[in-house]
Amino acid sequence: MAPSTETLTAERILEATEEVLRRHGPAKATVVDVARALGVSHGSVYRHFRTKAALREAVTKRWLDRTAEGLAAFASGPGDPEARLRDWLRSLFDAKRRKAGDDPELFATYRVLAAESAEAVAAHIADLIGQLTRIVEEGVGTGTFAVPDPAAAARAVFQASGRFHDPGYARVWTRPEAQADFASLVDLLVRGLRG
Amino acid sequence: MAPSTETLTAERILEATEEVLRRHGPAKATVVDVARALGVSHGSVYRHFRTKAALREAVTKRWLDRTAEGLAAFASGPGDPEARLRDWLRSLFDAKRRKAGDDPELFATYRVLAAESAEAVAAHIADLIGQLTRIVEEGVGTGTFAVPDPAAAARAVFQASGRFHDPGYARVWTRPEAQADFASLVDLLVRGLRG
DNA sequence: CAGATGACAGATTTCAATATTTGTCAGCCG
DNA sequence: CGGCTGACAAATATTGAAATCTGTCATCTG
């Protein structure tokens, strides 16, 4: 790739790394590839990221943050908490299924990256459960829901719906019964929250 | 291993195969090892199992069947359906956690075997969901539960509790919060079934 | 003759040599 | 000087030749 006159920033390195990962996959994407894509020596990349692992983790964080952003709208939007909970869960399921279906290789790549960055994933999950907690708390406030511990209930809802957002289950998302299974699960969980 | 004068049966081969898998792990357990353990030539093993895959699948089936047996008691035992449902879920979680904790290598071995025999696993899961369906149906009969479709609800309960029985989650079973998370989830599901 | 054997071909795995990559750092350049 | 370079050692990955394994079958044996 042609060298650039622009300043070398962490941001530019992250973009180039995403591109290299998309092209070569997680196993063959090297720091040298990233440097080549930017037209610099690999030593320069190490000036911005201490290790290859740190670079990959930064890419993973960006990706997880983008995912969480798309859901925040449902978490704090207006409207009935029960409907918002349903929308939030459906939106999460749809987004995951779309990503896994549209570009399986890229999805697999991010699966590998996520497995490497347990800490970033834990933070992301805490973020999502936080969004759910706000919905459940509001539902308790309006009387829609009746649970003793909204945070624990939100956690349970997130874990119970794992089959429809945990990447480990990606292969079942396209099965014909997935849609009905998802509907049954959401109904059961919502009834549980109503108390 | 010493040769035996006993007749070579499928059963004896399966026992020897389990032993070889326990000793060598799934990657290094060969048909020749099994034959050697029985004091016969590997050709004789192929008289009882067409392929190595078929042999492994038979071992997997035995193991899955033993697991399902232990739960059947709760499925059809006497007593309150809600309590039986709770006992069934707890028993499944405890059994899995015990196996994963007591002998992680053997657990990992069976995880590999199960991944190879999708069909046998699907049958096993159908069996378990069948047990759950019977409990839910009985609960609907006694008025404890109120769901429109007991089979769909049982399916949802099984999938919702995946985090506490799916081997893919084994690494979270020993976390300190697992116990509380399990309790929250079961409470939520039971409330959902009560309608 | 039913069941076991072991030689065999092709597929798969292992292992050691070879090549690449990671991460460092002394020195270069604007 | 501040940032970039590229030579380098150690760690990791790739390769391909040798060894092992899978599955078959003609032959043997009780």
Side-chain angles (χ1 to χ4, degrees):
Chain A
M1 200 140 290
S4 162
T5 68
E6 283 186 64
T7 326
L8 187 61
T9 60
E11 180 63 21
R12 284 188 64 222
I13 293 172
L14 289 175
E15 267 157 28
T17 306
E18 280 191 350
E19 178 59 18
V20 168
L21 281 164
R22 201 170 281 126
R23 271 188 150 71
H24 301 329
K28 295 203 183 154
T30 73
V31 177
V32 173
D33 289 333
V34 173
R36 193 173 17 245
L38 289 162
V40 299
S41 78
H42 74 279
S44 302
V45 173
Y46 279 98
R47 174 163 299 282
H48 292 85
F49 295 93
R50 260 210 301 299
T51 64
K52 184 190 190 183
L55 172 58
R56 283 178 168 237
E57 183 170 343
V59 169
T60 309
K61 270 208 186 90
R62 266 162 60 105
W63 178 66
L64 293 174
D65 286 351
R66 284 198 293 256
T67 303
E69 251 175 57
L71 287 166
F74 296 96
S76 44
D80 173 31
E82 179 181 317
R84 275 178 27 228
L85 177 72
R86 287 178 184 272
D87 287 347
W88 191 95
L89 288 171
R90 166 153 303 279
S91 168
L92 180 54
F93 179 31
D94 282 351
K96 292 282 184 127
R97 186 170 41 176
R98 194 166 355 95
K99 277 175 197 170
D102 289 356
D103 193 340
E105 292 208 2
L106 188 60
F107 190 77
T109 292
Y110 276 113
R111 224 145 102 51
V112 171
L113 292 189
E116 287 169 5
S117 304
E119 211 179 313
V121 172
H124 175 241
I125 289 175
D127 183 359
L128 294 185
I129 293 178
Q131 294 189 10
L132 272 180
T133 302
R134 264 174 277 137
I135 300 179
V136 174
E137 277 170 345
E138 219 177 300
V140 170
T142 64
T144 313
F145 297 147
V147 289
D149 182 343
R155 225 175 132 73
V157 167
F158 184 79
Q159 295 182 354
S161 53
R163 158 175 275 251
F164 302 102
H165 52 70
D166 190 319
Y169 285 105
R171 80 210 124 67
V172 312
W173 295 342
T174 50
R175 300 220 280 233
E177 67 270 30
Q179 208 59 18
D181 284 351
F182 178 74
S184 297
L185 180 72
V186 173
D187 284 348
L188 181 65
L189 295 177
V190 167
R191 274 206 308 277
L193 289 172
R194 289 202 284 242
Chain B
M1 202 139 289
S4 161
T5 68
E6 284 185 65
T7 326
L8 187 61
T9 59
E11 180 64 20
R12 284 188 62 223
I13 293 173
L14 288 175
E15 268 156 27
T17 305
E18 281 192 349
E19 177 60 17
V20 168
L21 282 164
R22 200 170 281 125
R23 271 188 149 74
H24 301 328
K28 295 202 184 158
T30 71
V31 176
V32 173
D33 288 334
V34 173
R36 191 170 22 241
L38 289 162
V40 300
S41 78
H42 74 280
S44 301
V45 172
Y46 279 98
R47 174 163 300 281
H48 291 86
F49 296 93
R50 259 210 303 296
T51 65
K52 185 190 189 183
L55 172 57
R56 285 180 167 234
E57 182 170 343
V59 169
T60 308
K61 270 209 186 87
R62 267 162 60 105
W63 176 67
L64 293 174
D65 287 351
R66 285 198 293 257
T67 303
E69 254 176 56
L71 286 167
F74 296 96
S76 45
D80 172 31
E82 179 180 318
R84 284 195 359 246
L85 177 73
R86 287 178 183 274
D87 287 348
W88 191 93
L89 288 170
R90 167 154 301 280
S91 168
L92 180 56
F93 179 32
D94 282 352
K96 292 285 184 121
R97 187 170 41 178
R98 195 166 354 93
K99 277 174 197 168
D102 289 356
D103 193 340
E105 292 207 2
L106 186 59
F107 190 77
T109 292
Y110 276 112
R111 223 143 103 52
V112 171
L113 292 189
E116 289 169 3
S117 303
E119 212 180 314
V121 171
H124 175 241
I125 288 175
D127 183 359
L128 295 185
I129 292 178
Q131 293 190 10
L132 272 180
T133 302
R134 266 174 276 136
I135 300 179
V136 174
E137 276 170 346
E138 219 178 299
V140 170
T142 65
T144 312
F145 297 146
V147 289
D149 182 345
R155 224 175 132 72
V157 168
F158 184 78
Q159 295 181 354
S161 54
R163 160 175 274 251
F164 303 102
H165 51 71
D166 190 318
Y169 285 104
R171 78 211 126 68
V172 312
W173 295 343
T174 50
R175 299 221 282 233
E177 67 272 29
Q179 209 60 18
D181 285 350
F182 178 74
S184 298
L185 179 72
V186 173
D187 284 348
L188 181 66
L189 296 177
V190 167
R191 273 206 310 276
L193 289 172
R194 289 202 284 242

